[in-house]
Amino acid sequence: MILWATLGRRLVTAVPILCVVSVLLFTALRVLPVDPAAMSMPPNATKEEIEAARREMGLDRPLPEQYGLWLGRAMRGDFGRSIHHRRDAGALVRETLPGTIELALAAMAVSSVLGLGGGLLLFGLRERTMEPVAETVTTLMMSVPEFLWALLFIFVFGVALQAMPFTGRLDPGMKLPGLTGFLVLDAVLTGRLDILWSALVHLVLPAVALGLAFAPPIMRVLRASLIDTYHEDYIRQARLRGVSEGRILIRHALKNAVLPTLTLMGVQFGFLFGGSLLVEVIYSYPGMGNLMVDAVRNADLPIIQVVGLTYCVVVLVINSVVDGLYLVLNPRLRPR
Amino acid sequence: MVEVSRRHVLQAAAIAPLARGVPVWAAEPDGVTIGWPSDVTSWDPNQRFTPDAHAIMKAVFDQPLDQDAKLKLSPGLITKWDMAADAKSLTLDFRDDVLFHDGSKMTAADFRWTFFERIKAGHKVDIAQSMRKVTDIEVVSPTRAIMRFDSPAPTVPVWLAFLGSFLVPKAYMEKVGVEEFARKPVGTGPYKLVEHQMNARIVLERNEAYWGPKPKMKRVTIEIIKDPSARVAAVQSGQVDITINVPVRELTRLKALPGLATDLTPVTKVILLQVRNDEGFADQNIRLAAHHAIDKKALSAAFYAGAAVPLAVLGVPGSPGYLDDYKFDFDPERARALLAKSGYSMDKPAKIRMASTNGQFPSDYDIARAIVQMWKKVGIEADLEVIEYAKYFELNRGNKLPETTLYTFDNATGDPEIYTGYLLNPKLPFSPWKDMNFGQKVIDQFNVADETARIAGWRALNREASEMGAAMPLLQSVLTVVRKKGLAVVPYGNGWILPQAMAWG
């Protein structure tokens, strides 16, 4: 109940944030030295034809009026037409969003497993001879950006070992089930194990490339939190009561130390969602990131706008969920 | 006796999925998998001019007229075309045996719909610009139509084989609407669209009722791989059978690999320096000095393995506007002399600004930097800035381009009007050259009806443009192809790589 109430409150406060972001986004894109009317026409269009297109797109009106018109349409789910694809911008984002969420969730799973496991390992190695080695490895992991991991994996697992596919979301010949757009879920819902397998195999390299880059901060925060927690009185008392070290770690220390890590993971998800841009391009992964890269390259303002807003909504939702989880895991924060 | 422990079993279980991970999809006996650098933006083929997707469009749709591998205009859906002497009407005869993918028969009414009625109906199609001189298309019979123009339009036949000119079915499009058509396109081409996952994959299946030569490949899978390194990896790992536009420097390495072949083909795309006629380039001596200071052979050797042909005029060898006998020498001494005439020297360099894209075409920014260094050696100091390709037209319309811009221009037809006419017409957004003395000559040339006089006129303007420094043609661009050794492709002079012209040898 508390969780739902918190989520509800968070989502209500998200509305003004979304409005502010939409104003900023709209204004920023309109002041860019790019003419959407010209971009919507072929290069051999005359000035008169471009002016006609500008009037038709409402770009000759004052900026506040343009924003008002855009907002009115956006409230009705009409985000305009893509300049590049000449299709409904909202529909294009709806088609590609599930792929990116699926990739981000898979990458989050990878970075969580690696981050939490690595954090425990780092904590276990504290003040031992292997500690500097482990520190160096995490620093190295942190210094390699996701696109470099992506290219490295292609050459190792795609070219050298020829063990993994690295283009698309499914094997050729397989048709997308087209229920929710979340391939793994769709495969389960339709009972298609072949699609499930193919989707998972295609997710491995992009998810690991993306997840690896985000795992080291989780490792470090968990390690630091565990070290802090081990200085607490209740840990000492547990030891005095003869509780085993393993039980102290899992039952007492980890439960408290994981809270700051959870906050970090929430923040990380936002970055991870944005970080999928290059990884999607490198792996020919048909997600929102790939769409965004095309949109930026072609100055496709309606797409940039709706992708920007979607990103904002995803971050707000994730933050709300993390806040809710915080309350579930930490009773002290619950309202009395 | 080999002992199998629990550990062995677990290891095998862990590796097994990896081994199953890569499906064997490339090198099917009657199929081909192509690694392509860009996606189709819309399956309404008249909607956008997208040179990069043109070859894919040609698999699903037919053009009224076609081009052979040497760029000569050839019959397609049209069997015969006859331009009137005043170039104000064009009589066209169509094939009588062409079926759309939905089984309906293609007639001259579909041609009228595509190139006239759609535009009048307000459909947002780029061919509205290429067909802007069309005042009517009269359907004389199911196999004959007459196009009428408001002014001489000698290049309309060329445009009927160029960007966006694909025939679409009137009845089907009227029935389902443009949006649905773009979702489920129907053409007359050698392949039918089976599946399109945006930014990932296009699957085509052979049209067994195709009117022309039956393609060898029954199934064509096009993997959209935008990253050049990933395309190299895909062909090297066998995940695709053929790919294009890989970095030139990779070709030598890939060629040495067993089972792979590479091609480096000069195409109709030109690399040039676009030039303003004012500011730091108002003085012709400086423009010509800048041109004489560029060692084009060295640029070709450094960035295109010597395969990019140095150009002296706006056109490529073999195209009608090209001047075989005209050379523009690399001559630093002459460049210094020209600069000295205008009071400039190494100690007192002429200062200009230059723009270049970075990553729009292979080695663009590197070429720009090399040119800046070449200019420095004769007494021209260029301030180089990077611009986005999408902003080129925007900056040009606002008259905000710098004195010179490194630019690439694709003209699959090879026609001189589309090279010189477009690149130097001050009224079109391609040209930063706004001087109307020369510009008016270019504009007038668009209306020359007689074909011999038309070509001669463009050739003369080509020479004049180079001699006055209105443009600095640099190199003929190249297309890089990496393919499996057994896969034969037809090299088109304009860089088309057509699935219907592929075969396993």
Side-chain angles (χ1 to χ4, degrees):
Chain A
M1 194 59 203
I2 292 165
L3 175 66
W4 293 115
T6 309
L7 273 180
R9 264 199 308 276
R10 281 287 179 184
L11 291 177
V12 168
T13 54
V15 174
I17 297 175
L18 210 53
C19 285
V20 172
V21 170
S22 74
V23 171
L24 289 175
L25 205 56
F26 191 89
T27 314
L29 291 176
R30 285 300 180 277
V31 298
L32 278 180
V34 171
D35 182 359
M39 294 298 297
S40 73
M41 301 294 285
N44 57 352
T46 59
K47 276 183 183 167
E48 295 72 31
E49 286 164 337
I50 291 165
E51 278 311 314
R54 183 172 289 113
R55 278 194 300 278
E56 198 183 310
M57 293 164 88
L59 296 168
D60 55 338
R61 300 180 191 190
L63 203 58
E65 195 183 331
Q66 284 184 44
Y67 176 74
L69 280 172
W70 176 82
L71 190 65
R73 288 188 194 129
M75 302 281 266
R76 296 194 298 273
D78 175 7
F79 292 93
R81 285 176 76 77
S82 154
I83 291 169
H84 190 52
H85 297 272
R86 296 212 174 152
R87 278 184 61 199
D88 176 36
L92 282 166
V93 170
R94 273 196 300 279
E95 276 173 34
T96 50
L97 180 62
T100 298
I101 292 181
E102 193 168 84
L103 174 60
L105 286 173
M108 195 68 218
V110 170
S111 69
S112 302
V113 169
L114 285 175
L116 296 176
L120 287 173
L121 184 71
L122 280 180
F123 179 70
L125 291 175
R126 71 193 185 285
E127 293 168 14
R128 295 194 186 177
T129 46
M130 285 302 285
E131 190 181 15
V133 177
E135 285 281 344
T136 311
V137 171
T138 52
T139 308
L140 189 73
M141 282 171 71
M142 265 203 292
S143 357
V144 179
E146 61 271 19
F147 68 88
L148 211 55
W149 283 121
L151 288 171
L152 196 69
F153 289 161
I154 284 179
F155 290 113
V156 174
F157 297 103
V159 179
L161 298 176
Q162 301 199 1
M164 301 293 280
F166 54 85
T167 57
R169 291 177 78 189
L170 274 184
D171 291 344
M174 282 185 177
K175 280 219 164 186
L176 299 169
L179 294 176
T180 63
F182 293 93
L183 266 188
V184 174
L185 181 65
D186 287 353
V188 172
L189 290 176
T190 52
R192 293 284 304 271
L193 291 181
D194 55 336
I195 289 184
L196 178 66
W197 174 252
S198 180
L200 288 173
V201 167
H202 280 78
L203 258 182
V204 171
L205 292 187
V208 175
L210 200 53
L212 260 187
F214 289 92
I218 299 176
M219 291 179 194
R220 292 196 163 188
V221 168
L222 181 63
R223 175 184 174 274
S225 299
L226 280 170
I227 289 172
D228 284 348
T229 310
Y230 264 62
H231 287 122
E232 297 286 340
D233 289 344
Y234 65 87
I235 298 289
R236 272 197 294 276
Q237 283 164 7
R239 280 211 183 96
L240 289 173
R241 288 204 311 272
V243 180
S244 71
E245 281 299 319
R247 197 176 164 84
I248 288 173
L249 176 66
I250 303 299
R251 293 294 299 272
H252 299 279
L254 191 58
K255 205 172 165 185
N256 288 300
V258 87
L259 289 173
T261 317
L262 192 68
T263 309
L264 177 71
M265 283 161 70
V267 176
Q268 293 273 67
F269 190 84
F271 288 127
L272 213 140
F273 199 72
S276 68
L277 288 175
L278 284 176
V279 171
E280 283 188 11
V281 171
I282 291 170
Y283 285 104
S284 306
Y285 190 91
M288 206 173 68
N290 220 326
L291 182 72
M292 182 67 161
V293 170
D294 271 352
V296 171
R297 197 172 284 160
N298 295 294
D300 197 340
L301 301 190
I303 294 278
I304 298 174
Q305 257 164 224
V306 69
V307 170
L309 278 179
T310 308
Y311 177 80
C312 176
V313 169
V314 169
V315 170
L316 287 171
V317 168
I318 293 297
N319 282 347
S320 305
V321 171
V322 170
D323 284 351
L325 280 176
Y326 227 82
L327 288 180
V328 170
L329 292 171
N330 191 349
R332 284 176 297 179
L333 295 175
R334 291 176 198 163
R336 290 161 195 272
Chain B
M1 179 88 183
V2 179
E3 272 190 39
V4 179
S5 67
R6 197 175 63 139
R7 176 173 292 180
H8 287 131
V9 172
L10 288 172
Q11 282 173 345
I15 293 167
L18 291 181
R20 288 176 55 197
V22 179
V24 182
W25 65 61
E28 288 171 27
D30 57 354
V32 67
T33 304
I34 306 170
W36 200 259
S38 58
D39 201 0
V40 168
T41 52
S42 165
W43 284 104
D44 177 349
N46 311 134
Q47 219 169 54
R48 296 295 276 174
F49 288 165
T50 46
D52 294 344
H54 195 79
I56 302 175
M57 284 293 179
K58 274 186 85 73
V60 178
F61 300 94
D62 279 317
Q63 302 201 258
L65 286 170
D66 210 346
Q67 283 179 275
D68 65 18
K70 296 200 180 300
L71 308 183
K72 195 167 171 264
L73 219 51
S74 61
L77 297 174
I78 292 170
T79 54
K80 213 175 119 201
W81 63 102
D82 185 22
M83 180 65 82
D86 61 0
K88 288 177 83 170
S89 68
L90 175 68
T91 305
L92 306 166
D93 285 338
F94 292 87
R95 297 185 69 94
D96 195 24
D97 57 350
V98 179
L99 296 179
F100 284 105
H101 296 159
D102 63 353
S104 60
K105 195 165 182 178
M106 185 278 297
T107 68
D110 297 303
F111 180 81
R112 179 182 155 88
W113 164 257
T114 305
F115 293 98
F116 185 69
E117 291 176 12
R118 288 199 73 186
I119 297 165
K120 292 290 164 210
H123 290 196
K124 301 285 177 204
V125 287
D126 281 1
I127 54 166
Q129 272 68 44
S130 55
M131 295 291 148
R132 66 161 69 91
K133 287 184 175 181
V134 177
T135 53
D136 194 12
I137 296 177
E138 182 191 341
V139 176
V140 180
S141 75
T143 57
R144 174 165 284 194
I146 301 171
M147 297 182 87
R148 300 193 193 284
F149 316 113
D150 60 6
S151 56
T155 52
V156 164
V158 171
W159 272 99
L160 289 177
F162 197 28
L163 295 172
S165 293
F166 296 93
L167 214 74
V168 294
K170 175 181 164 80
Y172 176 70
M173 195 174 256
E174 279 186 326
K175 186 179 151 201
V176 301
V178 176
E179 292 272 333
E180 182 61 11
F181 180 89
R183 228 169 55 78
K184 287 183 184 164
V186 164
T188 59
Y191 288 96
K192 296 177 183 178
L193 177 71
V194 175
E195 185 192 352
H196 180 205
Q197 294 174 37
M198 193 172 61
N199 282 329
R201 182 175 298 141
I202 295 166
V203 181
L204 308 174
E205 226 164 53
R206 188 167 60 202
N207 171 13
E208 299 296 345
Y210 188 55
W211 58 270
K214 195 174 174 183
K216 297 279 190 298
M217 303 296 180
K218 194 173 176 191
R219 196 176 175 86
V220 175
T221 304
I222 298 163
E223 300 283 346
I224 310 300
I225 310 175
K226 294 176 188 169
D227 183 70
S229 309
R231 280 202 300 282
V232 169
V235 74
Q236 205 180 329
S237 65
Q239 292 198 26
V240 301
D241 300 312
I242 179 170
T243 193
I244 61 166
N245 285 355
V246 302
V248 175
R249 63 181 177 278
E250 289 277 13
L251 285 193
T252 318
R253 182 182 69 81
L254 291 166
K255 198 177 182 177
L257 295 175
L260 288 183
T262 62
D263 307 299
L264 188 64
T265 321
V267 291
T268 46
K269 193 183 270 189
V270 292
I271 300 168
L272 71 151
L273 283 175
Q274 289 281 59
V275 174
R276 285 180 75 112
N277 55 303
D278 55 6
E279 299 184 354
F281 263 171
D283 184 341
Q284 179 170 305
N285 285 336
I286 301 176
R287 296 196 302 268
L288 293 176
H291 199 171
H292 279 299
I294 299 170
D295 186 350
K296 297 170 190 174
K297 267 190 187 166
L299 292 177
S300 175
F303 302 112
Y304 298 108
V309 179
L311 298 176
V313 293
L314 295 172
V316 297
S319 66
Y322 187 73
L323 304 173
D324 287 302
D325 55 345
Y326 180 71
K327 300 277 176 278
F328 199 99
D329 296 329
F330 164 57
D331 189 346
E333 277 313 312
R334 194 163 170 196
R336 283 188 200 102
L338 283 163
L339 286 169
K341 265 200 222 173
S342 296
Y344 296 104
S345 64
M346 295 284 284
D347 298 327
K348 190 194 162 201
K351 293 187 178 177
I352 56 165
R353 292 168 302 130
M354 179 187 188
S356 167
T357 48
N358 191 355
Q360 175 63 25
F361 63 93
S363 307
D364 47 0
Y365 188 59
D366 294 331
I367 291 174
R369 287 197 304 176
I371 290 172
V372 169
Q373 290 309 311
M374 289 171 185
W375 283 344
K376 209 172 181 178
K377 288 179 184 169
V378 296
I380 297 172
E381 197 177 294
D383 182 15
L384 179 61
E385 61 174 304
V386 173
I387 58 165
E388 290 294 323
Y389 183 72
K391 283 188 191 163
Y392 175 85
F393 297 110
E394 177 70 16
L395 290 169
N396 198 18
R397 283 195 181 96
N399 206 20
K400 288 177 187 162
L401 280 174
E403 279 86 347
T404 185
T405 306
L406 185 68
Y407 186 69
T408 180
F409 187 79
D410 197 2
N411 172 13
T413 69
D415 192 272
E417 177 181 297
I418 299 172
Y419 280 126
T420 317
Y422 275 63
L423 286 166
L424 288 170
N425 180 346
K427 301 287 184 194
L428 288 179
F430 300 96
S431 173
W433 184 269
K434 304 295 181 195
D435 162 46
M436 284 308 288
N437 288 329
F438 182 72
Q440 193 56 50
K441 290 186 199 172
V442 172
I443 293 167
D444 293 344
Q445 189 60 30
F446 276 76
N447 291 319
V448 176
D450 178 71
E451 185 63 7
T452 313
R454 188 177 82 84
I455 299 298
W458 287 121
R459 286 167 67 91
L461 286 174
N462 252 348
R463 180 188 285 265
E464 192 178 341
S466 289
E467 283 175 350
M468 66 192 289
M472 298 183 206
L474 298 175
L475 299 167
Q476 179 180 14
S477 192
V478 291
L479 174 77
T480 53
V481 178
V482 185
R483 60 189 162 86
K484 288 191 175 154
K485 258 184 187 148
L487 182 66
V489 292
V490 175
Y492 276 78
N494 50 22
W496 289 345
I497 295 290
L498 302 178
Q500 56 266 45
M502 290 182 188
W504 291 106

PDB file of all heavy atoms in Angstrom, chain B residues 60-80:
ATOM      1  N   VAL B  60      12.450  -3.862 -55.408  1.00  0.00           N
ATOM      2  CA  VAL B  60      11.009  -4.024 -55.158  1.00  0.00           C
ATOM      3  C   VAL B  60      10.168  -3.295 -56.213  1.00  0.00           C
ATOM      4  O   VAL B  60       9.083  -3.745 -56.565  1.00  0.00           O
ATOM      5  CB  VAL B  60      10.659  -3.521 -53.735  1.00  0.00           C
ATOM      6  CG1 VAL B  60       9.165  -3.638 -53.462  1.00  0.00           C
ATOM      7  CG2 VAL B  60      11.447  -4.298 -52.692  1.00  0.00           C
ATOM      8  N   PHE B  61      10.687  -2.173 -56.693  1.00  0.00           N
ATOM      9  CA  PHE B  61       9.947  -1.356 -57.668  1.00  0.00           C
ATOM     10  C   PHE B  61      10.749  -1.266 -58.962  1.00  0.00           C
ATOM     11  O   PHE B  61      11.974  -1.404 -58.944  1.00  0.00           O
ATOM     12  CB  PHE B  61       9.727   0.056 -57.123  1.00  0.00           C
ATOM     13  CG  PHE B  61       8.951   0.083 -55.834  1.00  0.00           C
ATOM     14  CD1 PHE B  61       9.598   0.106 -54.606  1.00  0.00           C
ATOM     15  CD2 PHE B  61       7.563   0.085 -55.841  1.00  0.00           C
ATOM     16  CE1 PHE B  61       8.894   0.125 -53.414  1.00  0.00           C
ATOM     17  CE2 PHE B  61       6.849   0.105 -54.659  1.00  0.00           C
ATOM     18  CZ  PHE B  61       7.512   0.124 -53.440  1.00  0.00           C
ATOM     19  N   ASP B  62      10.039  -0.995 -60.038  1.00  0.00           N
ATOM     20  CA  ASP B  62      10.728  -0.745 -61.311  1.00  0.00           C
ATOM     21  C   ASP B  62      10.685   0.734 -61.629  1.00  0.00           C
ATOM     22  O   ASP B  62       9.741   1.440 -61.236  1.00  0.00           O
ATOM     23  CB  ASP B  62      10.041  -1.521 -62.441  1.00  0.00           C
ATOM     24  CG  ASP B  62      10.473  -2.979 -62.464  1.00  0.00           C
ATOM     25  OD1 ASP B  62      11.681  -3.232 -62.297  1.00  0.00           O
ATOM     26  OD2 ASP B  62       9.600  -3.845 -62.618  1.00  0.00           O
ATOM     27  N   GLN B  63      11.689   1.164 -62.366  1.00  0.00           N
ATOM     28  CA  GLN B  63      11.707   2.545 -62.839  1.00  0.00           C
ATOM     29  C   GLN B  63      11.184   2.571 -64.272  1.00  0.00           C
ATOM     30  O   GLN B  63      11.363   1.591 -65.005  1.00  0.00           O
ATOM     31  CB  GLN B  63      13.133   3.097 -62.770  1.00  0.00           C
ATOM     32  CG  GLN B  63      13.689   3.022 -61.353  1.00  0.00           C
ATOM     33  CD  GLN B  63      14.829   3.968 -61.111  1.00  0.00           C
ATOM     34  OE1 GLN B  63      15.971   3.553 -61.114  1.00  0.00           O
ATOM     35  NE2 GLN B  63      14.536   5.237 -60.885  1.00  0.00           N
ATOM     36  N   PRO B  64      10.562   3.665 -64.675  1.00  0.00           N
ATOM     37  CA  PRO B  64      10.077   3.710 -66.056  1.00  0.00           C
ATOM     38  C   PRO B  64      11.204   3.458 -67.053  1.00  0.00           C
ATOM     39  O   PRO B  64      11.053   2.696 -67.996  1.00  0.00           O
ATOM     40  CB  PRO B  64       9.536   5.137 -66.186  1.00  0.00           C
ATOM     41  CG  PRO B  64       9.170   5.529 -64.795  1.00  0.00           C
ATOM     42  CD  PRO B  64      10.175   4.861 -63.917  1.00  0.00           C
ATOM     43  N   LEU B  65      12.338   4.099 -66.820  1.00  0.00           N
ATOM     44  CA  LEU B  65      13.510   3.828 -67.653  1.00  0.00           C
ATOM     45  C   LEU B  65      14.625   3.307 -66.752  1.00  0.00           C
ATOM     46  O   LEU B  65      14.639   3.560 -65.546  1.00  0.00           O
ATOM     47  CB  LEU B  65      13.967   5.101 -68.366  1.00  0.00           C
ATOM     48  CG  LEU B  65      13.073   5.536 -69.535  1.00  0.00           C
ATOM     49  CD1 LEU B  65      13.464   6.924 -70.029  1.00  0.00           C
ATOM     50  CD2 LEU B  65      13.149   4.534 -70.688  1.00  0.00           C
ATOM     51  N   ASP B  66      15.564   2.607 -67.360  1.00  0.00           N
ATOM     52  CA  ASP B  66      16.631   2.009 -66.568  1.00  0.00           C
ATOM     53  C   ASP B  66      17.982   2.528 -67.067  1.00  0.00           C
ATOM     54  O   ASP B  66      18.043   3.265 -68.056  1.00  0.00           O
ATOM     55  CB  ASP B  66      16.550   0.482 -66.695  1.00  0.00           C
ATOM     56  CG  ASP B  66      17.062  -0.217 -65.457  1.00  0.00           C
ATOM     57  OD1 ASP B  66      17.706   0.447 -64.621  1.00  0.00           O
ATOM     58  OD2 ASP B  66      16.824  -1.428 -65.317  1.00  0.00           O
ATOM     59  N   GLN B  67      19.036   2.130 -66.388  1.00  0.00           N
ATOM     60  CA  GLN B  67      20.391   2.432 -66.860  1.00  0.00           C
ATOM     61  C   GLN B  67      21.168   1.131 -66.886  1.00  0.00           C
ATOM     62  O   GLN B  67      20.995   0.294 -65.984  1.00  0.00           O
ATOM     63  CB  GLN B  67      21.080   3.385 -65.883  1.00  0.00           C
ATOM     64  CG  GLN B  67      20.638   4.820 -65.993  1.00  0.00           C
ATOM     65  CD  GLN B  67      21.372   5.663 -64.966  1.00  0.00           C
ATOM     66  OE1 GLN B  67      20.962   5.747 -63.824  1.00  0.00           O
ATOM     67  NE2 GLN B  67      22.463   6.274 -65.382  1.00  0.00           N
ATOM     68  N   ASP B  68      22.022   0.968 -67.895  1.00  0.00           N
ATOM     69  CA  ASP B  68      22.857  -0.228 -67.870  1.00  0.00           C
ATOM     70  C   ASP B  68      24.085   0.038 -67.001  1.00  0.00           C
ATOM     71  O   ASP B  68      24.235   1.131 -66.441  1.00  0.00           O
ATOM     72  CB  ASP B  68      23.208  -0.688 -69.296  1.00  0.00           C
ATOM     73  CG  ASP B  68      24.069   0.326 -70.052  1.00  0.00           C
ATOM     74  OD1 ASP B  68      24.671   1.205 -69.404  1.00  0.00           O
ATOM     75  OD2 ASP B  68      24.129   0.248 -71.291  1.00  0.00           O
ATOM     76  N   ALA B  69      24.953  -0.964 -66.919  1.00  0.00           N
ATOM     77  CA  ALA B  69      26.105  -0.847 -66.019  1.00  0.00           C
ATOM     78  C   ALA B  69      27.017   0.316 -66.404  1.00  0.00           C
ATOM     79  O   ALA B  69      27.747   0.857 -65.577  1.00  0.00           O
ATOM     80  CB  ALA B  69      26.886  -2.155 -66.005  1.00  0.00           C
ATOM     81  N   LYS B  70      26.964   0.697 -67.694  1.00  0.00           N
ATOM     82  CA  LYS B  70      27.797   1.816 -68.152  1.00  0.00           C
ATOM     83  C   LYS B  70      27.013   3.128 -68.173  1.00  0.00           C
ATOM     84  O   LYS B  70      27.400   4.092 -68.839  1.00  0.00           O
ATOM     85  CB  LYS B  70      28.366   1.515 -69.540  1.00  0.00           C
ATOM     86  CG  LYS B  70      29.321   0.313 -69.527  1.00  0.00           C
ATOM     87  CD  LYS B  70      30.215   0.309 -70.721  1.00  0.00           C
ATOM     88  CE  LYS B  70      31.169  -0.863 -70.716  1.00  0.00           C
ATOM     89  NZ  LYS B  70      32.057  -0.906 -69.560  1.00  0.00           N
ATOM     90  N   LEU B  71      25.882   3.143 -67.499  1.00  0.00           N
ATOM     91  CA  LEU B  71      25.048   4.330 -67.273  1.00  0.00           C
ATOM     92  C   LEU B  71      24.216   4.753 -68.480  1.00  0.00           C
ATOM     93  O   LEU B  71      23.568   5.795 -68.440  1.00  0.00           O
ATOM     94  CB  LEU B  71      25.886   5.535 -66.810  1.00  0.00           C
ATOM     95  CG  LEU B  71      26.798   5.306 -65.620  1.00  0.00           C
ATOM     96  CD1 LEU B  71      27.486   6.605 -65.237  1.00  0.00           C
ATOM     97  CD2 LEU B  71      26.017   4.784 -64.444  1.00  0.00           C
ATOM     98  N   LYS B  72      24.232   3.969 -69.550  1.00  0.00           N
ATOM     99  CA  LYS B  72      23.445   4.335 -70.718  1.00  0.00           C
ATOM    100  C   LYS B  72      21.971   4.106 -70.402  1.00  0.00           C
ATOM    101  O   LYS B  72      21.613   3.089 -69.807  1.00  0.00           O
ATOM    102  CB  LYS B  72      23.881   3.472 -71.914  1.00  0.00           C
ATOM    103  CG  LYS B  72      23.392   3.993 -73.222  1.00  0.00           C
ATOM    104  CD  LYS B  72      24.115   3.289 -74.375  1.00  0.00           C
ATOM    105  CE  LYS B  72      23.460   3.665 -75.679  1.00  0.00           C
ATOM    106  NZ  LYS B  72      22.478   2.730 -76.145  1.00  0.00           N
ATOM    107  N   LEU B  73      21.146   5.081 -70.771  1.00  0.00           N
ATOM    108  CA  LEU B  73      19.715   4.960 -70.549  1.00  0.00           C
ATOM    109  C   LEU B  73      19.179   3.774 -71.348  1.00  0.00           C
ATOM    110  O   LEU B  73      19.491   3.641 -72.526  1.00  0.00           O
ATOM    111  CB  LEU B  73      19.043   6.258 -71.019  1.00  0.00           C
ATOM    112  CG  LEU B  73      17.883   6.800 -70.176  1.00  0.00           C
ATOM    113  CD1 LEU B  73      18.246   6.912 -68.716  1.00  0.00           C
ATOM    114  CD2 LEU B  73      17.438   8.147 -70.724  1.00  0.00           C
ATOM    115  N   SER B  74      18.399   2.934 -70.696  1.00  0.00           N
ATOM    116  CA  SER B  74      17.911   1.737 -71.401  1.00  0.00           C
ATOM    117  C   SER B  74      16.440   1.514 -71.066  1.00  0.00           C
ATOM    118  O   SER B  74      15.926   2.039 -70.073  1.00  0.00           O
ATOM    119  CB  SER B  74      18.752   0.522 -70.982  1.00  0.00           C
ATOM    120  OG  SER B  74      18.627   0.322 -69.593  1.00  0.00           O
ATOM    121  N   PRO B  75      15.738   0.734 -71.891  1.00  0.00           N
ATOM    122  CA  PRO B  75      14.320   0.498 -71.620  1.00  0.00           C
ATOM    123  C   PRO B  75      14.107  -0.201 -70.278  1.00  0.00           C
ATOM    124  O   PRO B  75      14.928  -1.006 -69.853  1.00  0.00           O
ATOM    125  CB  PRO B  75      13.894  -0.424 -72.772  1.00  0.00           C
ATOM    126  CG  PRO B  75      14.904  -0.230 -73.832  1.00  0.00           C
ATOM    127  CD  PRO B  75      16.188   0.080 -73.126  1.00  0.00           C
ATOM    128  N   GLY B  76      13.005   0.155 -69.654  1.00  0.00           N
ATOM    129  CA  GLY B  76      12.601  -0.517 -68.413  1.00  0.00           C
ATOM    130  C   GLY B  76      11.141  -0.871 -68.594  1.00  0.00           C
ATOM    131  O   GLY B  76      10.809  -1.676 -69.473  1.00  0.00           O
ATOM    132  N   LEU B  77      10.281  -0.229 -67.809  1.00  0.00           N
ATOM    133  CA  LEU B  77       8.847  -0.407 -68.043  1.00  0.00           C
ATOM    134  C   LEU B  77       8.466   0.277 -69.360  1.00  0.00           C
ATOM    135  O   LEU B  77       7.486  -0.081 -69.989  1.00  0.00           O
ATOM    136  CB  LEU B  77       8.047   0.187 -66.886  1.00  0.00           C
ATOM    137  CG  LEU B  77       8.285  -0.478 -65.525  1.00  0.00           C
ATOM    138  CD1 LEU B  77       7.564   0.278 -64.430  1.00  0.00           C
ATOM    139  CD2 LEU B  77       7.847  -1.934 -65.556  1.00  0.00           C
ATOM    140  N   ILE B  78       9.250   1.283 -69.719  1.00  0.00           N
ATOM    141  CA  ILE B  78       9.046   1.979 -70.998  1.00  0.00           C
ATOM    142  C   ILE B  78       9.900   1.292 -72.059  1.00  0.00           C
ATOM    143  O   ILE B  78      11.098   1.055 -71.831  1.00  0.00           O
ATOM    144  CB  ILE B  78       9.446   3.466 -70.866  1.00  0.00           C
ATOM    145  CG1 ILE B  78       8.460   4.192 -69.949  1.00  0.00           C
ATOM    146  CG2 ILE B  78       9.528   4.132 -72.226  1.00  0.00           C
ATOM    147  CD1 ILE B  78       8.886   5.580 -69.563  1.00  0.00           C
ATOM    148  N   THR B  79       9.286   0.977 -73.179  1.00  0.00           N
ATOM    149  CA  THR B  79      10.047   0.307 -74.241  1.00  0.00           C
ATOM    150  C   THR B  79      10.627   1.313 -75.230  1.00  0.00           C
ATOM    151  O   THR B  79      11.666   1.086 -75.826  1.00  0.00           O
ATOM    152  CB  THR B  79       9.134  -0.670 -75.020  1.00  0.00           C
ATOM    153  OG1 THR B  79       7.987   0.068 -75.466  1.00  0.00           O
ATOM    154  CG2 THR B  79       8.698  -1.824 -74.153  1.00  0.00           C
ATOM    155  N   LYS B  80       9.915   2.442 -75.398  1.00  0.00           N
ATOM    156  CA  LYS B  80      10.352   3.433 -76.380  1.00  0.00           C
ATOM    157  C   LYS B  80      10.002   4.824 -75.869  1.00  0.00           C
ATOM    158  O   LYS B  80       8.901   5.015 -75.310  1.00  0.00           O
ATOM    159  CB  LYS B  80       9.599   3.177 -77.694  1.00  0.00           C
ATOM    160  CG  LYS B  80      10.403   3.502 -78.924  1.00  0.00           C
ATOM    161  CD  LYS B  80       9.600   3.101 -80.160  1.00  0.00           C
ATOM    162  CE  LYS B  80       9.349   4.332 -81.012  1.00  0.00           C
ATOM    163  NZ  LYS B  80       8.235   4.215 -81.914  1.00  0.00           N
TER     164      LYS B  80
END
